[in-house]
Amino acid sequence: MIVHLLKPEFDELIEAKDWVALKDILNDVPAVDVAELLEELDAEIAIVIFRLLKKQKAADVFTYLSSSTGLELMNMFTAQQLSEVMSNLEPDERVALMEELPGHLTQRVINSMKTDDRKLVQQLLGYPDESVGRLMTPRYVKVKKHWTIQKAMDHIRKFGHSVETVNVIYVVDENEQLIDDLRLNQLILADPEATIDTLMDESFEALSAFDDQEDAVKMLSKYDRVAMPVVDSDGILVGIVTVDDVIDVAEEETTEDMQLMAGMDVLDDYYSQTSIFHMVKKRIGWLAFLFVGQLFTATAMGAYESVIANAVFLSLFIPMIISTGGNSGTQAATLIIRALSTDDISMSEWFRVLGRELLSGLMLGLIMAIVGFLVIISWGFVTTGGLSEELVLSALVVGLSLIGVVLWGNLSGSMLPFALSKMGLDPAVTSAPFVSTLSDVTGIVIYFSIAIALLEGVVL
């Protein structure tokens, strides 16, 4: 909303080249909104605007820019500008930037860093990709259990300005091993002469630097924390992960799951920043695979060619049958994928899920069978002006087929995520198009098998 209100004035000042007025306005605008304004400008103008910002504000704005805009500006930075931006970024933000840099910029950025910053970034980059170690920041406040509250508060006032958050204070022993964490309000309300150990219960939750970043999302959500400590294999405190860091991870993971479930490879950047060629490349693989998969549907129909020839009306209901099975499978797959990703259910609960989906599939199938039977009877009565044995049997075929395809869709859609997870694959690959294709083939077989059994000797 702020961006839309500022845009006219922003454009007017740029047109007039009133850089002084523009500088005053920009430094009062939130960094995320400044980044949004820069995204809409040509790089030549954006770099001029960027140079008007104060050092810390410029670094904050840079973290909100899309990767393509950020790289474009970096190519235009002077050595001094690059050094200023990098020195004002948080360590985890530097690591995230380094992961996206093309080769020609990597060395330039490393050279622009101060020695201590360079060593820290290289240390964090030593952790595995997608690990908590890549996400954490080593900027936190730690205290010792024998300190008085007053000494701890003095320590916080001295070093708190340079850390990510002071909402949580970490207690370490002589070996730097984490032994507790305390909320700041506990220290504020405590007797200044008391010692830290009087506040401790030695009950805390911590992440391993080698955990997957998704674990950080789940832990912060589960324990409702603004930050969580990160320890190495020896229990030594090496950093913290804050909620603003995991929000970005959660957004990325959700986007990846949605794209996989849509039947395509995951995009490497935002949709608006992805070229058409790259978009086609990410989508064509699954489209081609699913197209070939539909050949199985054609093959299944070909096996019942003689049945269709003798009872052409049966082909009228094929779309109704296979689409219902596909929709049922997609619903089940989506529910299970989401439940697995949020730890609502675990891999060991597959048998319980199978029972639930078997029961719900039968109930849904029966309801759809009744609806399908009544719809076919009503449709036939309106179009032919009466009821016939052929019409009633056809409606019965559709009804029984709906029970079968809905039940199969439920079972296959719910079990496929478990099977893929067991094979070490992302369960989100159980995409809607994939489940639908599988349901199409089985739906044809179920439909015509029931039709042959009920209509043979009547119309076949």
Side-chain angles (χ1 to χ4, degrees):
M1 186 66 180
I2 294 177
V3 174
H4 295 304
L5 293 173
L6 284 175
K7 190 73 168 63
E9 183 180 4
F10 189 69
D11 291 340
E12 186 178 324
L13 291 173
I14 292 176
E15 185 71 26
K17 296 184 178 180
D18 191 347
W19 309 123
V20 175
L22 198 56
K23 182 177 181 179
D24 292 338
I25 292 174
L26 287 177
N27 282 307
D28 292 329
V29 177
V32 64
D33 293 319
V34 176
E36 193 173 333
L37 289 167
L38 292 181
E39 292 280 359
E40 300 179 14
L41 298 174
D42 292 334
E44 292 76 12
I45 300 295
I47 190 66
V48 174
I49 305 301
F50 192 85
R51 288 168 179 161
L52 298 176
L53 301 171
K54 295 177 181 176
K55 293 178 183 179
Q56 185 57 56
K57 183 66 169 284
D60 292 340
V61 169
F62 191 82
T63 62
Y64 289 110
L65 294 173
S66 65
S67 56
S68 57
T69 302
L71 292 177
E72 200 170 8
L73 290 183
M74 285 184 73
N75 277 312
M76 304 173 73
F77 283 166
T78 63
Q80 178 65 25
Q81 273 185 307
L82 190 57
S83 178
E84 289 174 355
V85 169
M86 295 306 296
S87 64
N88 282 286
L89 290 177
E90 292 295 329
D92 55 313
E93 292 169 344
R94 293 191 202 113
V95 170
L97 175 63
M98 295 295 292
E99 289 176 330
E100 296 183 358
L101 286 179
H104 73 280
L105 267 178
T106 302
Q107 194 58 50
R108 185 181 170 215
V109 170
I110 289 176
N111 291 339
S112 72
M113 296 182 194
K114 297 174 183 175
T115 303
D116 290 343
D117 291 342
R118 187 184 308 129
K119 288 180 180 178
L120 188 54
V121 166
Q122 289 170 339
Q123 176 188 337
L124 296 181
L125 285 171
Y127 290 105
D129 289 342
E130 306 297 325
S131 69
V132 169
R134 294 281 188 103
L135 189 65
M136 71 182 182
T137 176
R139 292 180 176 175
Y140 53 87
V141 176
K142 59 183 178 181
V143 298
K144 299 294 177 67
K145 67 177 183 179
H146 61 269
W147 287 8
T148 64
I149 303 298
Q150 184 61 56
K151 181 177 179 179
M153 291 299 293
D154 291 341
H155 181 76
I156 293 169
R157 292 187 186 95
K158 183 176 180 180
F159 296 101
H161 299 288
S162 59
V163 302
E164 185 109 356
T165 178
V166 294
N167 290 322
V168 185
I169 310 303
Y170 302 96
V171 187
V172 296
D173 62 15
E174 293 75 15
N175 299 316
E176 297 299 313
Q177 289 182 317
L178 179 66
I179 54 177
D180 208 350
D181 58 2
L182 302 172
R183 301 292 180 97
L184 179 62
N185 64 334
Q186 291 179 265
L187 276 73
I188 293 174
L189 299 175
D191 180 359
E193 299 305 318
T195 55
I196 291 293
D197 57 7
T198 61
L199 303 179
M200 292 170 51
D201 58 10
E202 297 188 10
S203 173
F204 62 91
E205 299 295 333
L207 291 159
S208 166
F210 298 95
D211 285 342
D212 190 278
Q213 291 180 1
E214 283 190 68
D215 294 332
V217 177
K218 294 172 183 176
M219 291 278 280
L220 279 163
S221 174
K222 179 179 179 179
Y223 294 103
D224 193 25
R225 305 295 293 271
V226 296
M228 289 206 75
V230 181
V231 297
D232 66 9
S233 54
D234 295 320
I236 294 173
L237 182 63
V238 292
I240 64 170
V241 170
T242 57
V243 68
D244 59 321
D245 297 323
V246 303
I247 286 174
D248 295 335
V249 174
E251 182 182 333
E252 289 174 10
E253 294 295 338
T254 303
T255 301
E256 286 181 9
D257 287 347
M258 291 180 68
Q259 290 172 354
L260 285 172
M261 290 172 65
M264 60 178 287
D265 290 335
V266 176
L267 297 181
D268 298 324
D269 207 338
Y270 292 108
Y271 172 84
S272 60
Q273 304 296 325
T274 304
S275 68
I276 294 177
F277 175 78
H278 194 69
M279 189 87 68
V280 170
K281 181 182 175 183
K282 290 291 185 179
R283 296 170 65 177
I284 191 60
W286 269 101
L287 280 178
F289 174 78
L290 294 171
F291 172 76
V292 173
Q294 288 294 343
L295 291 178
F296 291 103
T297 306
T299 302
M301 289 190 66
Y304 298 102
E305 186 176 356
S306 59
V307 178
I308 296 174
N310 292 324
V312 178
F313 65 89
L314 287 175
S315 62
L316 299 176
F317 309 124
I318 291 175
M320 178 190 300
I321 299 298
I322 62 177
S323 65
T324 303
N327 292 337
S328 171
T330 299
Q331 286 180 339
T334 302
L335 287 170
I336 300 305
I337 290 168
R338 188 58 184 163
L340 284 171
S341 66
T342 58
D343 288 338
D344 180 35
I345 58 176
S346 64
M347 288 291 295
S348 62
E349 295 180 275
W350 70 270
F351 193 74
R352 184 174 75 88
V353 172
L354 179 64
R356 287 171 59 90
E357 292 305 312
L358 179 63
L359 182 59
S360 64
L362 282 171
M363 293 172 65
L364 289 168
L366 284 170
I367 294 170
M368 290 306 301
I370 294 170
V371 172
F373 181 84
L374 294 176
V375 167
I376 299 302
I377 290 291
S378 302
W379 173 78
F381 184 82
V382 171
T383 55
T384 63
L387 294 176
S388 63
E389 181 184 9
E390 181 182 326
L391 176 61
V392 173
L393 286 175
S394 297
L396 191 59
V397 168
V398 170
L400 292 175
S401 298
L402 284 170
I403 295 176
V405 298
V406 169
L407 179 59
W408 170 253
N410 247 34
L411 294 178
S412 60
S414 60
M415 290 298 104
L416 272 173
F418 286 104
L420 289 172
S421 292
K422 194 71 175 177
M423 292 186 288
L425 299 174
D426 191 330
V429 175
T430 316
S431 60
F434 183 74
V435 173
S436 295
T437 301
L438 183 62
S439 298
D440 288 353
V441 179
T442 53
I444 293 293
V445 175
I446 292 171
Y447 179 49
F448 282 107
S449 297
I450 293 174
I452 292 172
L454 292 183
L455 300 179
E456 191 168 14
V458 181
V459 293
L460 297 180

